Each structure stands twice: as C-alpha cells, then as structure tokens.
Amino acid sequence: MKLIKNISAIFLLITLSSCGQEATFQEDVLTYIKSNGTAKQYNYAYDELLKMLGNQFPKTEENATGWDYLEANKEKHVNEILMQLAPVYEKNFTHEEIKKMNLFYTSDAGKQLVADGAKLTEAQKKEVNDFYGTETGKTIMEKQPILATEIAKVSEGWSRDLYETALSMLK
C-alpha cells in the first residue's frame, strides 16, 4: 500500500511539473510576441479597423453602446489574437529557442530593431547580425515562410471575427 502511495505521489509530481513547464513555455511565447513587435502591430490594426468603421458608421445614439464596447475592449481583442498566435510559435520553435529569442528582443539592440531598425547604432547592428548568425537566428529565418502562412491564417480569422462583431454592434 505504501508503494502505491509513493508511486501515485511521484506520478502526481511529474504531472504537475509537466503542466508547469507548458504554462511557462506559453508565457515565454507571449513575452516574445509582445517584445518582437507583433502585439504592437495588432494594436495598430485594431486602431485602424476602428478608424475605418468610424468612417462607415459614425458614432450615434443608436450605436453608442457598440462603439463603447469596441473602444473599451481593445486590449481583450488584441490579447485574443496573441493567444491564438502562441500555438503557432510553440509548434515551430522549442522552448529554448523562444528563451533565446526573448533575450535578444529584450536587449537594447532588439528593442531598437523593433522600434526603428534604421536607427540602429553600429554596435547594435553587429548585435543583430550576431544574433541572426546563431542557430536560433538561422531557425527564425528558415521558418519565416511557414510562420507567415500560419500567422496569416490565424490573423485572417481574427480579423474576420472582429469585423463581423463590430458590424453587428454598429449597424
């Protein structure tokens, strides 16, 4: 009986440990998506959608509730797309690669590359080139076509759903 309890305890610890690692991988992927400029792009896309809808459906008393919802829930909708993108990165990169990507994109050179690559200093350019010369950097470059296709599919679905939601609220 004691042996069964010990085996059960070990199994439980292994299971909990595995679940904890998965959550950490997803958290690291989300950190990467936020630091590499992806989140910024979707925030911009959301703002542009609202501008376009504003031209088609100016705010009136009849659609004010819809506009209030769309304006108040930007963060929620952007977080939804980031969560939908996470599995794409998890499928294409290892946890170790994501950690290395995070280290780069949270460095001064990585931040400057995202903010405005044209303003990289010579030292930052060297750091960028060094990073993309690593195995992780090469993997990123090799995976670009696959990522572009998979991200486009996810983005299209998110955009379509968001647009349909917005239309239903603003008409």
Side-chain angles (χ1 to χ4, degrees):
M1 187 64 158
K2 190 174 185 180
L3 180 61
I4 293 173
K5 285 183 180 179
N6 287 341
I7 292 172
S8 296
I10 290 170
F11 180 73
L12 180 62
L13 288 174
I14 291 170
T15 303
L16 290 174
S17 174
S18 296
C19 291
Q21 289 175 354
E22 287 178 28
T24 302
F25 187 20
Q26 184 178 48
E27 289 169 4
D28 286 344
V29 168
L30 291 171
T31 297
Y32 172 66
I33 291 171
K34 291 175 183 172
S35 65
N36 76 356
T38 300
K40 184 178 175 181
Q41 290 173 337
Y42 284 98
N43 275 296
Y44 178 78
Y46 193 93
D47 291 341
E48 289 300 303
L49 174 65
L50 292 188
K51 283 181 193 174
M52 181 189 74
L53 290 169
N55 292 333
Q56 291 178 338
F57 305 99
K59 194 171 190 175
T60 63
E61 284 183 34
E62 292 80 27
N63 67 16
T65 303
W67 274 110
D68 292 344
Y69 170 84
L70 292 169
E71 291 165 352
N73 286 282
K74 174 183 174 181
E75 185 177 347
K76 173 187 172 245
H77 289 288
V78 171
N79 283 335
E80 284 175 3
I81 183 64
L82 301 183
M83 291 298 290
Q84 291 172 18
L85 290 173
V88 172
Y89 287 91
E90 290 171 14
K91 183 173 92 177
N92 286 286
F93 298 102
T94 67
H95 193 178
E96 280 306 307
E97 289 169 331
I98 291 292
K99 287 179 181 179
K100 290 175 183 175
M101 293 153 71
N102 276 335
L103 282 175
F104 172 72
Y105 279 98
T106 57
S107 70
D108 288 340
K111 289 177 185 175
Q112 185 59 51
L113 180 64
V114 171
D116 185 354
K119 293 184 179 178
L120 286 167
T121 65
E122 288 305 315
Q124 289 171 331
K125 287 178 187 176
K126 181 181 179 338
E127 193 175 334
V128 170
N129 287 332
D130 288 349
F131 173 73
Y132 280 98
T134 66
E135 285 305 311
T136 300
K138 290 174 185 174
T139 300
I140 293 170
M141 298 306 290
E142 290 168 8
K143 299 270 181 159
Q144 284 295 29
I146 296 165
L147 288 172
T149 300
E150 292 180 13
I151 289 169
K153 287 178 188 173
V154 174
S155 279
E156 186 179 313
W158 174 77
S159 298
R160 182 184 54 248
D161 292 347
L162 182 58
Y163 184 73
E164 288 172 0
T165 298
L167 283 181
S168 70
M169 300 179 102
L170 299 178
K171 283 186 173 181

